[in-house]
mmCIF file of all heavy atoms in Angstrom:
data_model
loop_
_atom_site.group_PDB
_atom_site.id
_atom_site.type_symbol
_atom_site.label_atom_id
_atom_site.label_comp_id
_atom_site.label_asym_id
_atom_site.label_seq_id
_atom_site.Cartn_x
_atom_site.Cartn_y
_atom_site.Cartn_z
ATOM 1 N N SER A 244 -15.093 2.215 -27.011
ATOM 2 C CA SER A 244 -13.950 2.752 -27.704
ATOM 3 C C SER A 244 -12.676 2.171 -27.104
ATOM 4 O O SER A 244 -12.305 2.501 -25.958
ATOM 5 C CB SER A 244 -13.929 4.301 -27.597
ATOM 6 O OG SER A 244 -12.725 4.816 -28.102
ATOM 7 N N GLN A 245 -12.001 1.325 -27.870
ATOM 8 C CA GLN A 245 -10.774 0.652 -27.417
ATOM 9 C C GLN A 245 -9.558 1.402 -27.916
ATOM 10 O O GLN A 245 -9.510 1.853 -29.070
ATOM 11 C CB GLN A 245 -10.761 -0.794 -27.943
ATOM 12 C CG GLN A 245 -9.542 -1.606 -27.631
ATOM 13 C CD GLN A 245 -9.329 -1.813 -26.141
ATOM 14 O OE1 GLN A 245 -8.773 -0.929 -25.474
ATOM 15 N NE2 GLN A 245 -9.753 -2.947 -25.623
ATOM 16 N N SER A 246 -8.553 1.540 -27.072
ATOM 17 C CA SER A 246 -7.349 2.296 -27.444
ATOM 18 C C SER A 246 -6.593 1.641 -28.566
ATOM 19 O O SER A 246 -6.049 2.317 -29.448
ATOM 20 C CB SER A 246 -6.449 2.465 -26.229
ATOM 21 O OG SER A 246 -6.048 1.200 -25.730
ATOM 22 N N ASN A 247 -6.529 0.318 -28.540
ATOM 23 C CA ASN A 247 -5.896 -0.431 -29.655
ATOM 24 C C ASN A 247 -6.201 -1.915 -29.482
ATOM 25 O O ASN A 247 -6.476 -2.371 -28.387
ATOM 26 C CB ASN A 247 -4.376 -0.202 -29.711
ATOM 27 C CG ASN A 247 -3.618 -0.973 -28.663
ATOM 28 O OD1 ASN A 247 -3.231 -2.115 -28.868
ATOM 29 N ND2 ASN A 247 -3.433 -0.372 -27.480
ATOM 30 N N ASN A 248 -6.165 -2.612 -30.590
ATOM 31 C CA ASN A 248 -6.388 -4.073 -30.550
ATOM 32 C C ASN A 248 -5.099 -4.865 -30.717
ATOM 33 O O ASN A 248 -5.121 -6.102 -30.764
ATOM 34 C CB ASN A 248 -7.371 -4.487 -31.655
ATOM 35 C CG ASN A 248 -8.782 -3.992 -31.383
ATOM 36 O OD1 ASN A 248 -9.129 -3.671 -30.271
ATOM 37 N ND2 ASN A 248 -9.600 -3.950 -32.426
ATOM 38 N N ALA A 249 -3.959 -4.160 -30.795
ATOM 39 C CA ALA A 249 -2.694 -4.842 -31.050
ATOM 40 C C ALA A 249 -2.160 -5.582 -29.829
ATOM 41 O O ALA A 249 -1.522 -6.624 -29.967
ATOM 42 C CB ALA A 249 -1.652 -3.827 -31.544
ATOM 43 N N GLU A 250 -2.436 -5.049 -28.650
ATOM 44 C CA GLU A 250 -1.973 -5.727 -27.433
ATOM 45 C C GLU A 250 -2.850 -6.939 -27.169
ATOM 46 O O GLU A 250 -4.078 -6.849 -27.248
ATOM 47 C CB GLU A 250 -2.064 -4.797 -26.224
ATOM 48 C CG GLU A 250 -1.221 -3.553 -26.255
ATOM 49 C CD GLU A 250 -1.575 -2.635 -25.099
ATOM 50 O OE1 GLU A 250 -1.535 -3.118 -23.942
ATOM 51 O OE2 GLU A 250 -1.923 -1.470 -25.333
ATOM 52 N N PRO A 251 -2.275 -8.079 -26.804
ATOM 53 C CA PRO A 251 -3.088 -9.229 -26.437
ATOM 54 C C PRO A 251 -4.070 -8.928 -25.298
ATOM 55 O O PRO A 251 -5.181 -9.440 -25.286
ATOM 56 C CB PRO A 251 -2.050 -10.274 -26.021
ATOM 57 C CG PRO A 251 -0.829 -9.900 -26.807
ATOM 58 C CD PRO A 251 -0.840 -8.393 -26.858
ATOM 59 N N TYR A 252 -3.639 -8.083 -24.382
ATOM 60 C CA TYR A 252 -4.523 -7.700 -23.258
ATOM 61 C C TYR A 252 -5.799 -7.061 -23.803
ATOM 62 O O TYR A 252 -6.914 -7.344 -23.347
ATOM 63 C CB TYR A 252 -3.801 -6.734 -22.322
ATOM 64 C CG TYR A 252 -4.666 -6.184 -21.208
ATOM 65 C CD1 TYR A 252 -4.810 -6.877 -20.009
ATOM 66 C CD2 TYR A 252 -5.347 -4.968 -21.366
ATOM 67 C CE1 TYR A 252 -5.601 -6.372 -18.998
ATOM 68 C CE2 TYR A 252 -6.160 -4.491 -20.356
ATOM 69 C CZ TYR A 252 -6.278 -5.173 -19.177
ATOM 70 O OH TYR A 252 -7.085 -4.673 -18.169
ATOM 71 N N ARG A 253 -5.634 -6.176 -24.775
ATOM 72 C CA ARG A 253 -6.802 -5.468 -25.350
ATOM 73 C C ARG A 253 -7.697 -6.427 -26.110
ATOM 74 O O ARG A 253 -8.922 -6.362 -26.041
ATOM 75 C CB ARG A 253 -6.309 -4.368 -26.274
ATOM 76 C CG ARG A 253 -5.407 -3.375 -25.597
ATOM 77 C CD ARG A 253 -6.158 -2.264 -24.911
ATOM 78 N NE ARG A 253 -5.414 -1.779 -23.777
ATOM 79 C CZ ARG A 253 -5.945 -1.162 -22.721
ATOM 80 N NH1 ARG A 253 -7.244 -0.998 -22.652
ATOM 81 N NH2 ARG A 253 -5.210 -0.737 -21.722
ATOM 82 N N ALA A 254 -7.097 -7.345 -26.848
ATOM 83 C CA ALA A 254 -7.875 -8.324 -27.600
ATOM 84 C C ALA A 254 -8.664 -9.212 -26.643
ATOM 85 O O ALA A 254 -9.847 -9.542 -26.898
ATOM 86 C CB ALA A 254 -6.954 -9.177 -28.474
ATOM 87 N N ASN A 257 -11.599 -7.266 -25.233
ATOM 88 C CA ASN A 257 -12.702 -7.204 -26.200
ATOM 89 C C ASN A 257 -13.537 -8.490 -26.171
ATOM 90 O O ASN A 257 -14.763 -8.458 -26.174
ATOM 91 C CB ASN A 257 -12.149 -6.982 -27.609
ATOM 92 C CG ASN A 257 -11.512 -5.619 -27.769
ATOM 93 O OD1 ASN A 257 -11.606 -4.752 -26.908
ATOM 94 N ND2 ASN A 257 -10.827 -5.422 -28.899
ATOM 95 N N THR A 276 -14.631 -0.247 -31.491
ATOM 96 C CA THR A 276 -13.750 0.533 -32.364
ATOM 97 C C THR A 276 -12.307 0.421 -31.890
ATOM 98 O O THR A 276 -12.033 0.279 -30.696
ATOM 99 C CB THR A 276 -14.164 2.023 -32.377
ATOM 100 O OG1 THR A 276 -14.136 2.551 -31.051
ATOM 101 C CG2 THR A 276 -15.549 2.184 -32.973
ATOM 102 N N ASP A 277 -11.398 0.464 -32.828
ATOM 103 C CA ASP A 277 -9.958 0.315 -32.582
ATOM 104 C C ASP A 277 -9.254 1.620 -32.982
ATOM 105 O O ASP A 277 -9.252 2.002 -34.148
ATOM 106 C CB ASP A 277 -9.404 -0.842 -33.405
ATOM 107 C CG ASP A 277 -7.906 -1.047 -33.237
ATOM 108 O OD1 ASP A 277 -7.281 -0.350 -32.427
ATOM 109 O OD2 ASP A 277 -7.375 -1.914 -33.969
ATOM 110 N N ALA A 278 -8.681 2.289 -31.992
ATOM 111 C CA ALA A 278 -8.028 3.583 -32.260
ATOM 112 C C ALA A 278 -6.598 3.420 -32.756
ATOM 113 O O ALA A 278 -5.946 4.397 -33.109
ATOM 114 C CB ALA A 278 -8.028 4.453 -31.020
ATOM 115 N N HIS A 279 -6.060 2.204 -32.738
ATOM 116 C CA HIS A 279 -4.706 1.929 -33.229
ATOM 117 C C HIS A 279 -3.656 2.817 -32.529
ATOM 118 O O HIS A 279 -2.690 3.287 -33.166
ATOM 119 C CB HIS A 279 -4.618 2.150 -34.741
ATOM 120 C CG HIS A 279 -5.548 1.277 -35.532
ATOM 121 N ND1 HIS A 279 -5.332 -0.048 -35.756
ATOM 122 C CD2 HIS A 279 -6.765 1.553 -36.110
ATOM 123 C CE1 HIS A 279 -6.329 -0.557 -36.472
ATOM 124 N NE2 HIS A 279 -7.206 0.409 -36.700
ATOM 125 N N GLN A 280 -3.846 3.045 -31.235
ATOM 126 C CA GLN A 280 -2.949 3.879 -30.437
ATOM 127 C C GLN A 280 -2.832 5.310 -30.978
ATOM 128 O O GLN A 280 -1.821 5.990 -30.768
ATOM 129 C CB GLN A 280 -1.544 3.254 -30.326
ATOM 130 C CG GLN A 280 -1.467 2.101 -29.352
ATOM 131 C CD GLN A 280 -0.051 1.763 -28.924
ATOM 132 O OE1 GLN A 280 0.933 2.158 -29.555
ATOM 133 N NE2 GLN A 280 0.093 1.012 -27.835
ATOM 134 N N ASP A 281 -3.861 5.779 -31.613
ATOM 135 C CA ASP A 281 -3.881 7.153 -32.154
ATOM 136 C C ASP A 281 -5.009 7.909 -31.434
ATOM 137 O O ASP A 281 -6.198 7.616 -31.639
ATOM 138 C CB ASP A 281 -4.099 7.147 -33.656
ATOM 139 C CG ASP A 281 -4.033 8.558 -34.238
ATOM 140 O OD1 ASP A 281 -2.919 8.980 -34.597
ATOM 141 O OD2 ASP A 281 -5.089 9.215 -34.297
ATOM 142 N N GLN A 285 -9.185 8.064 -31.848
ATOM 143 C CA GLN A 285 -10.094 7.654 -30.767
ATOM 144 C C GLN A 285 -11.079 8.764 -30.403
ATOM 145 O O GLN A 285 -12.255 8.514 -30.145
ATOM 146 C CB GLN A 285 -9.327 7.216 -29.530
ATOM 147 C CG GLN A 285 -10.221 6.584 -28.482
ATOM 148 C CD GLN A 285 -9.486 5.964 -27.346
ATOM 149 O OE1 GLN A 285 -8.381 6.402 -26.986
ATOM 150 N NE2 GLN A 285 -10.053 4.934 -26.719
ATOM 151 N N SER A 303 -11.678 3.061 -23.106
ATOM 152 C CA SER A 303 -10.327 2.760 -22.611
ATOM 153 C C SER A 303 -9.395 3.753 -23.303
ATOM 154 O O SER A 303 -8.945 3.512 -24.425
ATOM 155 C CB SER A 303 -9.921 1.309 -22.934
ATOM 156 O OG SER A 303 -10.670 0.396 -22.199
ATOM 157 N N ASN A 305 -6.594 5.971 -24.940
ATOM 158 C CA ASN A 305 -5.213 5.796 -25.379
ATOM 159 C C ASN A 305 -4.292 6.667 -24.535
ATOM 160 O O ASN A 305 -3.232 6.213 -24.081
ATOM 161 C CB ASN A 305 -5.066 6.160 -26.858
ATOM 162 C CG ASN A 305 -3.662 5.926 -27.379
ATOM 163 O OD1 ASN A 305 -3.124 4.837 -27.260
ATOM 164 N ND2 ASN A 305 -3.042 6.967 -27.941
ATOM 165 N N ARG A 329 -7.852 2.936 -18.063
ATOM 166 C CA ARG A 329 -6.979 4.107 -18.102
ATOM 167 C C ARG A 329 -7.788 5.370 -17.837
ATOM 168 O O ARG A 329 -8.948 5.466 -18.238
ATOM 169 C CB ARG A 329 -6.297 4.221 -19.473
ATOM 170 C CG ARG A 329 -5.352 3.065 -19.770
ATOM 171 C CD ARG A 329 -4.755 3.213 -21.166
ATOM 172 N NE ARG A 329 -3.873 2.119 -21.503
ATOM 173 C CZ ARG A 329 -3.320 1.964 -22.718
ATOM 174 N NH1 ARG A 329 -3.594 2.836 -23.678
ATOM 175 N NH2 ARG A 329 -2.532 0.935 -22.966
ATOM 176 N N ILE A 371 3.108 3.559 -22.760
ATOM 177 C CA ILE A 371 3.017 4.958 -23.178
ATOM 178 C C ILE A 371 3.234 5.848 -21.971
ATOM 179 O O ILE A 371 2.520 5.727 -20.962
ATOM 180 C CB ILE A 371 1.658 5.240 -23.838
ATOM 181 C CG1 ILE A 371 1.536 4.397 -25.132
ATOM 182 C CG2 ILE A 371 1.514 6.718 -24.158
ATOM 183 C CD1 ILE A 371 0.159 4.474 -25.778
ATOM 184 N N LYS A 402 5.696 1.495 -25.594
ATOM 185 C CA LYS A 402 4.280 1.691 -25.977
ATOM 186 C C LYS A 402 3.426 0.432 -25.816
ATOM 187 O O LYS A 402 2.498 0.202 -26.563
ATOM 188 C CB LYS A 402 4.177 2.224 -27.401
ATOM 189 C CG LYS A 402 4.818 3.584 -27.589
ATOM 190 C CD LYS A 402 4.651 4.112 -29.009
ATOM 191 C CE LYS A 402 5.299 5.467 -29.196
ATOM 192 N NZ LYS A 402 4.656 6.539 -28.408
ATOM 193 N N TRP A 403 3.799 -0.428 -24.858
ATOM 194 C CA TRP A 403 3.053 -1.640 -24.521
ATOM 195 C C TRP A 403 3.176 -2.745 -25.546
ATOM 196 O O TRP A 403 2.538 -3.802 -25.392
ATOM 197 C CB TRP A 403 1.542 -1.337 -24.347
ATOM 198 C CG TRP A 403 1.201 -0.242 -23.381
ATOM 199 C CD1 TRP A 403 0.674 0.982 -23.677
ATOM 200 C CD2 TRP A 403 1.326 -0.273 -21.937
ATOM 201 N NE1 TRP A 403 0.474 1.716 -22.544
ATOM 202 C CE2 TRP A 403 0.856 0.990 -21.468
ATOM 203 C CE3 TRP A 403 1.795 -1.210 -21.025
ATOM 204 C CZ2 TRP A 403 0.849 1.305 -20.087
ATOM 205 C CZ3 TRP A 403 1.769 -0.876 -19.667
ATOM 206 C CH2 TRP A 403 1.308 0.345 -19.225
ATOM 207 N N LEU A 404 4.001 -2.605 -26.592
ATOM 208 C CA LEU A 404 4.002 -3.534 -27.720
ATOM 209 C C LEU A 404 5.239 -4.428 -27.752
ATOM 210 O O LEU A 404 6.368 -3.972 -27.544
ATOM 211 C CB LEU A 404 3.886 -2.762 -29.025
ATOM 212 C CG LEU A 404 2.596 -1.925 -29.187
ATOM 213 C CD1 LEU A 404 2.633 -1.153 -30.475
ATOM 214 C CD2 LEU A 404 1.352 -2.801 -29.092
#
Side-chain angles (χ1 to χ4, degrees):
S244 172
Q245 177 62 278
S246 60
N247 77 89
N248 291 341
E250 298 171 55
Y252 175 87
R253 303 274 151 204
N257 293 350
T276 58
D277 178 5
H279 301 284
Q280 284 198 343
D281 183 89
Q285 189 172 29
S303 290
N305 183 55
R329 296 178 181 173
I371 295 173
K402 298 182 180 294
W403 306 111
L404 299 177

